[in-house]
Coordinates of all heavy atoms in Angstrom, one line a residue:
G31 N -0.6 6.6 10.5 CA -1.9 6.6 11.2 C -3.1 6.5 10.2 O -4.1 5.8 10.5
D34 N -3.3 2.9 9.0 CA -4.0 2.1 10.0 C -5.5 2.3 10.0 O -6.3 1.4 10.1 CB -3.4 2.4 11.4 CG -2.1 1.7 11.6 OD1 -1.6 0.9 10.8 OD2 -1.4 2.0 12.7
M35 N -5.9 3.6 9.9 CA -7.3 3.9 9.9 C -8.0 3.3 8.7 O -9.1 2.7 8.8 CB -7.4 5.5 9.9 CG -8.9 6.0 9.9 SD -8.9 7.8 10.1 CE -8.2 8.4 8.6
F39 N -7.4 -0.6 11.7 CA -6.7 -0.5 13.0 C -7.0 0.9 13.6 O -6.1 1.7 13.7 CB -5.2 -0.8 12.8 CG -4.9 -2.1 12.3 CD1 -4.8 -2.4 11.0 CD2 -4.7 -3.2 13.2 CE1 -4.5 -3.7 10.5 CE2 -4.4 -4.5 12.8 CZ -4.3 -4.7 11.4
L40 N -8.2 1.1 14.0 CA -8.6 2.5 14.3 C -8.0 3.1 15.6 O -7.5 4.2 15.6 CB -10.2 2.5 14.5 CG -11.0 2.2 13.2 CD1 -12.4 2.2 13.5 CD2 -10.6 3.2 12.1
K41 N -7.9 2.3 16.6 CA -7.3 2.8 17.9 C -5.8 3.0 17.7 O -5.2 4.0 18.1 CB -7.5 1.8 19.0 CG -8.9 1.7 19.4 CD -9.1 0.8 20.6 CE -10.6 0.7 21.0 NZ -10.8 -0.2 22.2
E42 N -5.1 2.1 16.9 CA -3.7 2.3 16.7 C -3.5 3.5 15.8 O -2.6 4.3 16.0 CB -3.1 1.1 16.0 CG -3.1 -0.2 16.8 CD -4.4 -1.0 16.7 OE1 -5.4 -0.4 16.3 OE2 -4.4 -2.2 17.1
G43 N -4.4 3.7 14.8 CA -4.3 4.8 13.9 C -4.5 6.1 14.7 O -3.8 7.1 14.4
L44 N -5.5 6.1 15.6 CA -5.8 7.3 16.3 C -4.6 7.7 17.2 O -4.2 8.9 17.3 CB -7.0 7.1 17.2 CG -7.5 8.3 18.1 CD1 -7.8 9.5 17.2 CD2 -8.7 7.9 19.0
F45 N -3.9 6.7 17.8 CA -2.7 7.0 18.6 C -1.7 7.8 17.8 O -1.1 8.8 18.2 CB -2.2 5.7 19.2 CG -0.9 5.9 19.9 CD1 -0.9 6.3 21.3 CD2 0.3 5.7 19.3 CE1 0.3 6.5 22.0 CE2 1.5 5.8 20.0 CZ 1.5 6.2 21.4
L47 N -2.1 9.4 14.9 CA -2.6 10.7 14.4 C -2.6 11.7 15.5 O -2.2 12.9 15.3 CB -4.0 10.5 13.9 CG -4.1 9.7 12.6 CD1 -5.6 9.5 12.2 CD2 -3.5 10.5 11.4
F67 N -6.3 18.0 13.2 CA -7.6 17.8 14.0 C -8.7 17.2 13.1 O -9.5 16.4 13.5 CB -8.1 19.2 14.5 CG -7.6 19.5 15.9 CD1 -6.6 20.4 16.1 CD2 -8.0 18.7 17.0 CE1 -6.1 20.7 17.4 CE2 -7.5 19.0 18.3 CZ -6.6 20.0 18.5
N68 N -8.7 17.5 11.8 CA -9.6 16.9 10.8 C -9.4 15.4 10.7 O -10.3 14.6 10.8 CB -9.5 17.6 9.5 CG -10.5 17.2 8.5 OD1 -11.7 17.1 8.8 ND2 -10.2 16.9 7.3
Q69 N -8.1 15.0 10.7 CA -7.8 13.6 10.6 C -8.2 12.8 11.8 O -8.8 11.7 11.7 CB -6.3 13.4 10.3 CG -5.8 13.7 8.9 CD -6.4 12.8 7.9 OE1 -7.3 13.1 7.1 NE2 -6.0 11.5 7.9
T70 N -7.9 13.4 13.0 CA -8.3 12.7 14.2 C -9.8 12.7 14.4 O -10.4 11.7 14.9 CB -7.7 13.3 15.5 OG1 -7.9 14.8 15.5 CG2 -6.2 13.1 15.6
G71 N -10.5 13.7 13.9 CA -11.9 13.7 13.9 C -12.5 12.6 13.0 O -13.5 11.9 13.4
I72 N -11.9 12.4 11.9 CA -12.4 11.3 11.0 C -12.2 9.9 11.7 O -13.1 9.1 11.6 CB -11.6 11.3 9.6 CG1 -12.0 12.5 8.8 CG2 -11.9 10.0 8.8 CD1 -11.1 12.8 7.6
C73 N -11.1 9.8 12.4 CA -10.9 8.5 13.1 C -11.9 8.3 14.2 O -12.4 7.2 14.4 CB -9.5 8.5 13.7 SG -8.8 6.8 14.0
Y74 N -12.2 9.4 15.0 CA -13.2 9.3 16.0 C -14.6 9.0 15.4 O -15.4 8.2 15.9 CB -13.3 10.6 16.8 CG -12.3 10.7 17.9 CD1 -11.4 11.8 17.9 CD2 -12.3 9.8 19.0 CE1 -10.5 11.9 18.9 CE2 -11.4 10.0 20.0 CZ -10.5 11.0 20.0 OH -9.6 11.2 21.0
L75 N -14.8 9.5 14.2 CA -16.1 9.3 13.5 C -16.2 7.8 13.1 O -17.3 7.2 13.3 CB -16.2 10.1 12.2 CG -17.4 10.1 11.4 CD1 -18.6 10.6 12.3 CD2 -17.3 11.0 10.2
L76 N -15.1 7.2 12.6 CA -15.1 5.8 12.3 C -15.3 4.9 13.5 O -15.8 3.8 13.4 CB -13.9 5.4 11.6 CG -13.7 6.0 10.2 CD1 -12.3 5.8 9.6 CD2 -14.8 5.5 9.2
L77 N -14.9 5.4 14.7 CA -15.1 4.7 16.0 C -16.5 5.0 16.6 O -16.8 4.5 17.6 CB -14.0 5.2 17.0 CG -12.6 4.6 16.7 CD1 -11.6 5.5 17.5 CD2 -12.5 3.2 17.1
S78 N -17.3 5.7 15.8 CA -18.6 6.1 16.3 C -18.6 6.9 17.6 O -19.6 6.9 18.3 CB -19.5 4.9 16.4 OG -19.7 4.2 15.2
D79 N -17.5 7.6 17.8 CA -17.4 8.5 19.0 C -17.7 9.9 18.5 O -16.9 10.7 18.2 CB -16.0 8.4 19.6 CG -15.8 9.3 20.8 OD1 -16.7 10.1 21.1 OD2 -14.9 9.0 21.6
A83 N -15.5 13.4 17.8 CA -15.4 13.7 16.4 C -15.8 15.2 16.2 O -15.1 16.0 15.5 CB -16.3 12.8 15.6
F87 N -13.5 18.3 14.8 CA -13.8 19.0 13.5 C -14.0 20.5 13.8 O -13.5 21.3 13.0 CB -15.1 18.4 12.9 CG -15.0 17.0 12.4 CD1 -16.0 16.1 12.5 CD2 -13.8 16.6 11.7 CE1 -15.9 14.8 12.1 CE2 -13.7 15.3 11.2 CZ -14.7 14.4 11.4

Side-chain angles (χ1 to χ4, degrees):
D34 283 351
M35 182 170 66
F39 296 90
L40 297 177
K41 291 182 180 179
E42 295 88 341
L44 182 60
F45 176 83
L47 291 171
F67 271 108
N68 188 43
Q69 284 294 110
T70 50
I72 292 170
C73 202
Y74 278 120
L75 186 59
L76 292 172
L77 286 163
S78 298
D79 186 343
F87 293 140

